[in-house]
Amino acid sequence: METYKVPSATLFLNEDRQPVNPPKVINPTSNIYGYLMQSPTMLTTIEAAKQILHRILSSAENI
């Protein structure tokens, strides 16, 4: 699925707006505040997500 293709970007300018030579490829990280985030690791439907959440909440009540 193209929607979940790994994102990438190319850095052409540094933080001082000076050209970077050669341009640098930026890859995603697990940092949610970073420039690029990783693609989702799981796809599901809303109905399946509800069932998963229900199971998690039910098991938490038994602790």
Coordinates of all heavy atoms in Angstrom, one line a residue:
M1 N 0.8 -1.2 0.0 CA 0.0 0.0 0.0 C 0.9 1.2 0.0 O 1.7 1.4 0.9 CB -0.9 0.0 1.2 CG -2.0 -1.0 1.2 SD -3.1 -0.7 2.5 CE -2.6 -2.0 3.6
E2 N 0.7 2.1 -0.9 CA 1.5 3.3 -1.1 C 1.4 4.2 0.1 O 2.3 4.9 0.5 CB 1.2 4.0 -2.4 CG 2.1 5.1 -2.6 CD 1.9 5.7 -4.0 OE1 1.5 5.0 -4.9 OE2 2.1 6.9 -4.1
T3 N 0.2 4.2 0.7 CA 0.0 5.1 1.9 C 0.9 4.8 3.0 O 1.3 5.7 3.8 CB -1.5 4.9 2.4 OG1 -2.4 5.1 1.3 CG2 -1.8 5.8 3.5
Y4 N 1.4 3.6 3.1 CA 2.2 3.2 4.2 C 3.7 2.9 3.8 O 4.4 2.2 4.5 CB 1.6 2.0 4.9 CG 0.3 2.4 5.6 CD1 -0.9 2.1 5.0 CD2 0.3 3.1 6.8 CE1 -2.1 2.5 5.5 CE2 -0.9 3.5 7.3 CZ -2.1 3.2 6.7 OH -3.2 3.6 7.2
K5 N 4.1 3.5 2.7 CA 5.4 3.5 2.3 C 6.3 4.3 3.2 O 5.9 5.3 3.8 CB 5.5 4.1 0.9 CG 6.8 4.2 0.3 CD 6.7 4.7 -1.2 CE 6.6 6.2 -1.2 NZ 6.8 6.7 -2.6
V6 N 7.5 3.8 3.5 CA 8.4 4.5 4.4 C 8.7 5.9 3.9 O 9.1 6.1 2.7 CB 9.8 3.7 4.5 CG1 10.7 4.5 5.4 CG2 9.5 2.3 5.1
P7 N 8.5 6.9 4.7 CA 8.7 8.3 4.3 C 10.2 8.6 4.2 O 11.0 8.0 4.9 CB 8.0 9.1 5.3 CG 8.0 8.3 6.6 CD 7.9 6.9 6.1
S8 N 10.6 9.5 3.3 CA 11.9 10.0 3.3 C 11.9 11.4 2.8 O 11.0 11.9 2.3 CB 12.8 9.1 2.3 OG 12.3 9.3 1.0
A9 N 13.0 12.1 3.1 CA 13.2 13.5 2.7 C 14.6 13.7 2.4 O 15.5 13.0 2.9 CB 12.7 14.4 3.8
T10 N 14.9 14.8 1.7 CA 16.3 15.2 1.4 C 16.5 16.6 1.9 O 15.8 17.5 1.7 CB 16.5 15.1 -0.1 OG1 16.2 13.8 -0.6 CG2 18.0 15.4 -0.4
L11 N 17.6 16.7 2.7 CA 18.0 17.9 3.3 C 18.9 18.7 2.4 O 20.0 18.2 2.0 CB 18.7 17.7 4.6 CG 19.1 18.9 5.4 CD1 17.9 19.7 5.9 CD2 20.0 18.5 6.6
F12 N 18.4 19.8 1.9 CA 19.2 20.7 1.0 C 19.8 21.9 1.7 O 20.8 22.4 1.2 CB 18.4 21.1 -0.2 CG 17.9 20.0 -1.1 CD1 16.7 19.4 -1.0 CD2 18.8 19.6 -2.1 CE1 16.3 18.4 -1.8 CE2 18.4 18.5 -2.9 CZ 17.2 18.0 -2.8
L13 N 19.2 22.3 2.8 CA 19.7 23.5 3.5 C 19.9 23.1 5.0 O 19.1 22.3 5.5 CB 18.8 24.6 3.5 CG 18.4 25.2 2.1 CD1 17.4 26.3 2.2 CD2 19.7 25.8 1.4
N14 N 20.9 23.6 5.7 CA 21.1 23.4 7.1 C 20.3 24.4 7.9 O 19.5 25.2 7.3 CB 22.6 23.4 7.4 CG 23.2 24.8 7.3 OD1 22.6 25.8 7.1 ND2 24.6 24.8 7.2
E15 N 20.5 24.3 9.2 CA 19.7 25.2 10.1 C 20.0 26.7 9.9 O 19.2 27.5 10.2 CB 19.8 24.8 11.6 CG 21.3 24.8 12.1 CD 22.0 23.5 11.8 OE1 21.4 22.6 11.4 OE2 23.2 23.6 12.1
D16 N 21.1 27.0 9.3 CA 21.5 28.4 9.0 C 21.1 28.8 7.6 O 21.5 29.8 7.1 CB 23.0 28.6 9.2 CG 23.4 28.4 10.6 OD1 22.6 28.7 11.5 OD2 24.5 27.8 10.8
R17 N 20.3 27.9 6.9 CA 19.8 28.1 5.6 C 21.0 28.2 4.5 O 20.9 28.8 3.5 CB 18.9 29.3 5.5 CG 17.7 29.2 6.3 CD 16.8 30.3 6.1 NE 15.6 30.1 6.9 CZ 14.5 30.9 6.9 NH1 14.5 31.9 6.0 NH2 13.5 30.7 7.7
Q18 N 22.1 27.4 4.9 CA 23.2 27.3 3.9 C 23.1 26.0 3.2 O 22.6 25.0 3.8 CB 24.5 27.4 4.7 CG 24.7 28.7 5.5 CD 24.8 29.9 4.5 OE1 25.4 29.8 3.5 NE2 24.0 30.9 4.9
P19 N 23.4 25.9 1.9 CA 23.3 24.7 1.2 C 24.2 23.6 1.8 O 25.3 23.8 2.3 CB 23.9 25.1 -0.2 CG 23.8 26.5 -0.3 CD 24.0 27.0 1.1
V20 N 23.6 22.4 1.8 CA 24.3 21.2 2.2 C 24.8 20.5 1.0 O 24.0 20.2 0.1 CB 23.3 20.3 3.0 CG1 24.0 19.0 3.4 CG2 22.8 21.0 4.2
N21 N 26.1 20.2 0.9 CA 26.7 19.6 -0.3 C 27.6 18.4 0.2 O 28.5 18.6 0.9 CB 27.5 20.6 -1.1 CG 27.8 20.1 -2.4 OD1 27.4 19.0 -2.9 ND2 28.7 20.8 -3.1
P22 N 27.2 17.2 -0.1 CA 26.0 16.8 -0.9 C 24.8 16.8 0.0 O 24.9 16.7 1.2 CB 26.4 15.4 -1.3 CG 27.3 14.8 -0.3 CD 28.1 16.1 0.2
P23 N 23.6 16.9 -0.7 CA 22.4 16.8 0.1 C 22.3 15.5 0.9 O 22.8 14.5 0.6 CB 21.3 16.8 -1.0 CG 21.9 17.4 -2.2 CD 23.4 17.0 -2.1
K24 N 21.7 15.6 2.1 CA 21.6 14.5 3.0 C 20.2 13.9 3.1 O 19.2 14.6 3.2 CB 22.0 15.0 4.4 CG 21.9 14.0 5.5 CD 22.3 14.6 6.8 CE 22.1 13.6 7.9 NZ 22.4 14.2 9.3
V25 N 20.1 12.6 2.9 CA 18.8 11.9 3.0 C 18.4 11.7 4.5 O 19.3 11.3 5.3 CB 18.9 10.5 2.3 CG1 17.6 9.7 2.5 CG2 19.2 10.7 0.8
I26 N 17.2 12.1 4.8 CA 16.7 12.0 6.2 C 15.7 10.8 6.2 O 14.8 10.7 5.4 CB 16.0 13.3 6.6 CG1 16.9 14.4 6.6 CG2 15.4 13.1 8.0 CD1 16.2 15.8 6.8
N27 N 15.9 9.9 7.2 CA 15.1 8.7 7.3 C 14.2 8.9 8.6 O 14.6 9.6 9.5 CB 15.9 7.5 7.4 CG 16.6 7.2 6.1 OD1 16.0 7.2 5.0 ND2 17.9 6.9 6.1
P28 N 13.1 8.2 8.7 CA 12.3 8.3 9.9 C 12.9 7.6 11.1 O 13.8 6.8 11.0 CB 11.0 7.5 9.5 CG 11.4 6.6 8.4 CD 12.5 7.3 7.7
T29 N 12.5 8.1 12.3 CA 12.9 7.5 13.5 C 11.7 7.2 14.4 O 10.6 7.6 14.0 CB 13.8 8.5 14.3 OG1 13.1 9.6 14.7 CG2 15.0 9.0 13.5
S30 N 11.9 6.7 15.5 CA 10.8 6.4 16.4 C 10.4 7.6 17.3 O 9.5 7.6 18.1 CB 11.1 5.2 17.3 OG 12.3 5.5 18.1
N31 N 11.1 8.7 17.1 CA 10.8 10.0 17.8 C 9.5 10.6 17.2 O 9.5 11.1 16.1 CB 12.0 11.0 17.7 CG 11.8 12.3 18.4 OD1 10.7 12.5 19.0 ND2 12.8 13.1 18.3
I32 N 8.5 10.7 18.1 CA 7.2 11.2 17.6 C 7.3 12.7 17.3 O 6.4 13.3 16.7 CB 6.0 10.9 18.5 CG1 6.2 11.4 19.9 CG2 5.8 9.4 18.5 CD1 5.0 11.3 20.8
Y33 N 8.3 13.4 17.9 CA 8.5 14.8 17.7 C 9.5 15.1 16.6 O 9.9 16.3 16.4 CB 8.8 15.5 19.0 CG 7.8 15.3 20.0 CD1 8.0 14.4 21.1 CD2 6.6 15.9 20.0 CE1 7.1 14.2 22.1 CE2 5.6 15.7 20.9 CZ 5.8 14.9 22.0 OH 4.9 14.7 22.9
G34 N 10.0 14.1 16.0 CA 11.1 14.3 15.0 C 10.5 14.8 13.6 O 9.3 15.0 13.5
Y35 N 11.4 15.0 12.7 CA 11.0 15.5 11.4 C 10.1 14.5 10.6 O 9.1 14.8 10.0 CB 12.2 15.9 10.6 CG 11.9 16.6 9.3 CD1 11.4 17.9 9.3 CD2 12.1 16.0 8.1 CE1 11.0 18.5 8.1 CE2 11.8 16.6 6.9 CZ 11.2 17.9 6.9 OH 10.9 18.5 5.8
L36 N 10.5 13.2 10.6 CA 9.8 12.2 10.0 C 9.5 11.0 11.0 O 10.3 10.6 11.7 CB 10.6 11.6 8.8 CG 10.9 12.5 7.6 CD1 11.8 11.8 6.6 CD2 9.6 12.9 6.9
M37 N 8.2 10.6 11.0 CA 7.9 9.4 11.8 C 7.8 8.2 11.0 O 7.6 8.2 9.8 CB 6.5 9.7 12.4 CG 6.5 10.7 13.5 SD 4.9 10.9 14.3 CE 4.3 9.3 14.6
Q38 N 8.0 7.0 11.7 CA 7.9 5.7 11.0 C 6.5 5.4 10.6 O 5.5 5.9 11.3 CB 8.4 4.6 11.9 CG 9.9 4.7 12.2 CD 10.3 3.6 13.2 OE1 9.5 3.0 13.8 NE2 11.6 3.4 13.2
S39 N 6.3 4.6 9.6 CA 4.9 4.2 9.2 C 4.3 3.3 10.3 O 5.1 2.7 11.1 CB 5.0 3.4 7.9 OG 5.6 4.2 6.9
P40 N 3.0 3.2 10.3 CA 2.4 2.3 11.3 C 2.9 0.9 11.1 O 3.2 0.4 10.0 CB 0.9 2.4 10.9 CG 0.7 3.6 10.1 CD 2.0 3.9 9.4
T41 N 2.9 0.1 12.2 CA 3.4 -1.3 12.1 C 2.2 -2.2 12.1 O 2.4 -3.4 11.9 CB 4.2 -1.6 13.4 OG1 3.5 -1.4 14.5 CG2 5.5 -0.8 13.4
M42 N 1.0 -1.7 12.2 CA -0.2 -2.6 12.1 C -1.4 -1.8 11.5 O -1.6 -0.7 11.8 CB -0.6 -3.0 13.6 CG -1.8 -3.9 13.6 SD -2.2 -4.4 15.3 CE -3.2 -3.1 15.8
L43 N -2.1 -2.5 10.7 CA -3.3 -2.0 10.1 C -4.5 -2.9 10.6 O -4.4 -4.1 10.7 CB -3.3 -2.1 8.6 CG -2.2 -1.3 7.9 CD1 -2.2 -1.5 6.4 CD2 -2.4 0.2 8.2
T44 N -5.6 -2.2 10.9 CA -6.8 -3.0 11.4 C -8.0 -2.2 11.0 O -7.9 -1.0 10.6 CB -6.7 -3.3 12.9 OG1 -7.7 -4.2 13.2 CG2 -6.8 -2.0 13.7
T45 N -9.2 -2.8 11.3 CA -10.4 -2.1 11.1 C -10.9 -1.5 12.4 O -10.3 -1.8 13.5 CB -11.5 -3.1 10.6 OG1 -11.7 -4.0 11.6 CG2 -11.1 -3.7 9.3
I46 N -11.8 -0.6 12.4 CA -12.4 0.0 13.6 C -13.0 -1.1 14.5 O -12.8 -1.1 15.7 CB -13.4 1.1 13.3 CG1 -12.7 2.3 12.5 CG2 -14.1 1.6 14.5 CD1 -11.7 3.0 13.3
E47 N -13.7 -2.0 13.9 CA -14.4 -3.1 14.7 C -13.3 -3.9 15.4 O -13.5 -4.3 16.6 CB -15.2 -3.9 13.8 CG -16.6 -3.3 13.5 CD -17.4 -3.0 14.7 OE1 -17.5 -3.8 15.7 OE2 -17.9 -1.8 14.8
A48 N -12.3 -4.3 14.7 CA -11.2 -5.1 15.3 C -10.5 -4.3 16.4 O -10.2 -4.9 17.5 CB -10.2 -5.6 14.3
A49 N -10.3 -3.0 16.2 CA -9.7 -2.2 17.2 C -10.5 -2.1 18.5 O -10.0 -2.1 19.6 CB -9.4 -0.8 16.6
K50 N -11.8 -2.0 18.3 CA -12.7 -2.0 19.5 C -12.6 -3.3 20.3 O -12.6 -3.3 21.5 CB -14.2 -1.9 19.0 CG -14.5 -0.5 18.5 CD -16.0 -0.4 18.1 CE -16.4 0.9 17.5 NZ -17.8 0.9 17.0
Q51 N -12.5 -4.5 19.6 CA -12.4 -5.7 20.2 C -11.1 -5.8 21.0 O -11.0 -6.3 22.1 CB -12.5 -6.9 19.2 CG -13.9 -7.0 18.7 CD -14.0 -8.1 17.6 OE1 -13.1 -8.9 17.5 NE2 -15.1 -8.2 16.9
I52 N -10.0 -5.4 20.3 CA -8.7 -5.4 21.0 C -8.7 -4.5 22.2 O -8.2 -4.9 23.3 CB -7.6 -4.9 20.0 CG1 -7.4 -6.0 18.9 CG2 -6.2 -4.7 20.7 CD1 -6.6 -5.4 17.7
L53 N -9.2 -3.3 22.1 CA -9.3 -2.4 23.3 C -10.1 -3.0 24.4 O -9.8 -2.9 25.6 CB -9.8 -1.0 22.8 CG -9.9 0.0 23.9 CD1 -8.5 0.3 24.4 CD2 -10.5 1.3 23.3
H54 N -11.2 -3.6 24.0 CA -12.1 -4.2 25.0 C -11.4 -5.3 25.8 O -11.5 -5.4 27.0 CB -13.4 -4.8 24.4 CG -14.3 -5.5 25.3 ND1 -15.0 -4.9 26.3 CD2 -14.5 -6.8 25.5 CE1 -15.7 -5.7 27.0 NE2 -15.4 -7.0 26.5
R55 N -10.6 -6.1 25.1 CA -9.8 -7.2 25.7 C -8.8 -6.6 26.6 O -8.5 -7.1 27.7 CB -9.2 -8.1 24.7 CG -10.2 -9.0 24.0 CD -9.5 -9.9 23.0 NE -10.5 -10.6 22.2 CZ -10.2 -11.2 21.1 NH1 -9.0 -11.3 20.7 NH2 -11.2 -11.8 20.4
I56 N -8.1 -5.6 26.2 CA -7.1 -4.9 27.0 C -7.7 -4.4 28.3 O -7.2 -4.6 29.4 CB -6.3 -3.8 26.2 CG1 -5.5 -4.5 25.1 CG2 -5.5 -3.0 27.2 CD1 -4.9 -3.5 24.2
L57 N -8.8 -3.7 28.2 CA -9.5 -3.1 29.3 C -10.0 -4.1 30.3 O -9.9 -4.0 31.5 CB -10.6 -2.1 28.9 CG -10.1 -0.9 28.1 CD1 -11.2 0.0 27.6 CD2 -9.1 0.0 29.0
S58 N -10.5 -5.2 29.7 CA -11.1 -6.3 30.5 C -10.0 -7.0 31.3 O -10.2 -7.3 32.5 CB -11.8 -7.3 29.7 OG -12.9 -6.8 29.1
S59 N -8.8 -7.2 30.7 CA -7.7 -7.8 31.4 C -7.1 -6.9 32.5 O -6.6 -7.4 33.5 CB -6.7 -8.3 30.4 OG -6.0 -7.2 29.8
A60 N -7.2 -5.6 32.2 CA -6.7 -4.6 33.2 C -7.5 -4.6 34.5 O -7.1 -4.4 35.6 CB -6.6 -3.3 32.6
E61 N -8.8 -4.9 34.3 CA -9.7 -4.9 35.5 C -9.5 -6.1 36.3 O -9.8 -6.0 37.5 CB -11.2 -4.9 35.0 CG -11.6 -3.6 34.3 CD -13.0 -3.7 33.7 OE1 -13.7 -4.8 33.8 OE2 -13.5 -2.7 33.2
N62 N -8.9 -7.1 35.8 CA -8.7 -8.4 36.6 C -7.4 -8.3 37.3 O -7.0 -9.3 38.0 CB -8.7 -9.6 35.6 CG -10.0 -9.8 35.0 OD1 -11.1 -9.5 35.6 ND2 -10.1 -10.3 33.8
I63 N -6.6 -7.2 37.2 CA -5.3 -7.1 37.9 C -5.5 -6.7 39.3 O -6.3 -6.0 39.7 CB -4.4 -6.2 37.1 CG1 -4.1 -6.7 35.8 CG2 -3.1 -5.9 37.9 CD1 -3.2 -5.8 34.9

